[in-house]
Amino acid sequence: MAILQRQLPRSYTQAAVRASAARAPRRARSAGRAAVRPLPRATYCSIAGAALLGALLVAHVAGCARMTAASYRTVRLTEQLASVRLHNQMWQEQLDARRAGHAVAEWARTNGMTRDGRPMVVLTAGSAGG
C-alpha cells in the first residue's frame, strides 16, 4: 500500500500544498469566501488602452477594405468609360462615312433616285437654305 501512495515524489505534493495555500489569503479561507481586491488604476488604464487600440485596428482594417473596394470600382468605371468612348467613336466614324457626299450619291444611284446622265445635287443638313 505504501508503494501506491508514493507514486509522486514528496517534493511534488509539498509544492502543491504550498501553491494552494498561497492562492487564497488566510482570512478568506477561514471565512469561506474569496477575497475581492480592487484592480489598480494602471490596470484599468491598460485595459482601456488595449480596447482603444483594438477599436482603432478594426477601424483601420475596415477603412483599408473600403478604400480597396473604391479603387476597384474606379478601375471598373474607367474601363467602362473607355469602352463607351470607343463605341461612340466607332458609331461616329460609321455615321460620317454614310453622310459623305459620294456615299449618298452611290446610294441614290443604286436605289433609282437619280436620272441617268444628269448630274445630281446632294444637299446635306444645314447647307440647304443657309
Side-chain angles (χ1 to χ4, degrees), residues 53-71 73:
L53 285 176
L56 288 174
L57 178 66
V58 168
H60 175 71
V61 169
C64 287
R66 290 184 65 174
M67 286 187 292
T68 303
S71 175
R73 278 194 304 267

Side-chain angles (χ1 to χ4, degrees), residues 3-128:
I3 294 173
L4 293 175
Q5 290 177 349
R6 289 275 182 170
Q7 290 178 352
L8 295 175
R10 177 178 268 178
S11 61
Y12 288 156
T13 57
Q14 289 173 353
V17 169
R18 274 186 263 136
S20 65
R23 280 189 219 130
R26 191 172 294 277
R27 193 171 16 141
R29 255 189 298 135
S30 64
R33 58 192 166 114
V36 178
R37 293 184 207 160
L39 292 175
R41 177 175 278 193
T43 305
Y44 284 121
C45 291
S46 63
I47 290 172
L52 179 65
L53 285 176
L56 288 174
L57 178 66
V58 168
H60 175 71
V61 169
C64 287
R66 290 184 65 174
M67 286 187 292
T68 303
S71 175
Y72 282 127
R73 278 194 304 267
T74 303
V75 169
R76 189 175 63 235
L77 288 174
T78 304
E79 289 174 354
Q80 287 177 352
L81 181 63
S83 175
V84 166
R85 285 182 176 162
L86 182 67
H87 280 78
N88 188 21
Q89 181 182 359
M90 181 185 67
W91 286 111
Q92 190 63 43
E93 288 174 0
Q94 287 181 1
L95 185 62
D96 290 343
R98 290 183 181 178
R99 282 184 178 168
H102 68 284
V104 173
E106 183 63 32
W107 179 85
R109 232 180 271 115
T110 56
N111 288 314
M113 298 191 161
T114 60
R115 296 184 187 164
D116 292 331
R118 297 185 97 192
M120 179 183 78
V121 176
V122 177
L123 299 176
T124 58
S127 65

